[in-house]
Every structure is written in C-alpha cells, then in structure tokens.
Amino acid sequence: MPVIKTHATTPIPETAQHALKAAFGQAIENIPGKSEQWLMCLFDENAPIYFGGDDSEASALIEVGVFARGEVPASAWEALTAAVTPAVAETLGIDPARIYVSCSSTPNFGWNGTTF
C-alpha cells in the first residue's frame, strides 16, 4: 500500500501527472514487495513552499509512505530517492537542490474498511 504525494510550487498539468505517475510506479519497485499495482499518487500543485525561508524559486516535497511490518532497508529508500528526484526535476523544472523526499513506513494501514 504505497502512497506518493507530490507538493510543488509549480502547476502540475495532467501530462506531468501521468509522467510522474509512471516514474513513481517504476521507482516504488525499489521498495521490497511494492509495485505500481497498489500505488496511490496525489498531486498538490501551486503549493506555498518556503525553502530556506525563500519562496522565489520552485520547490517540491515528495512524501513516500508504505505499509511495512518490518524495516525498509536504507538502500531501498536511497534507490527510490535517486529515481524520484530526477523525474520531478525534469517533469516540473525544479532544481534537484530544492526537492525534498520524505520516506516513511507504517505497520498500520487501512484499506477497504479494514486496518492491516
């Protein structure tokens, strides 16, 4: 049950959403047991983001959350970040130095009225 939320100061047109969804679908496979089949992507465009106290340049926060009863290896998160960052940078025209990727896992996740 992975979820990737994109918060960006820029517009995220439908074509960009599709491109990012595809890139995220591939990137999530870096996390053991995860695939695009259960991936949910959310897009928050034109978000007010201050990076270092400055909002004059485009910025983005990518939040990645997964359901995992065990710990996700650091190498998996590193591979995911390495895949997601250039996809966001190229698709939305944001300097990679102004993109944060937040990664987390939870042993509790709800779907279809049930919590795992």
Side-chain angles (χ1 to χ4, degrees), residues 19-98:
L20 289 172
K21 178 201 67 74
F24 295 165
Q26 290 180 329
I28 202 66
E29 293 182 4
N30 287 293
I31 308 302
K34 303 305 173 197
S35 70
E36 186 176 19
Q37 178 182 359
W38 292 98
L39 176 62
M40 182 179 282
C41 297
L42 292 84
F43 297 99
D44 178 21
E45 64 182 359
N46 300 315
I49 299 175
Y50 290 81
F51 187 98
D54 176 25
D55 69 345
S56 66
E57 294 181 50
S59 300
L61 168 63
I62 312 305
E63 295 180 277
V64 182
V66 299
F67 168 68
R69 297 220 189 248
E71 192 163 326
V72 175
S75 60
W77 291 128
E78 291 166 8
L80 181 130
T81 298
V84 164
T85 301
V88 172
E90 292 169 18
T91 304
L92 300 181
I94 299 174
D95 181 345
R98 295 187 64 90

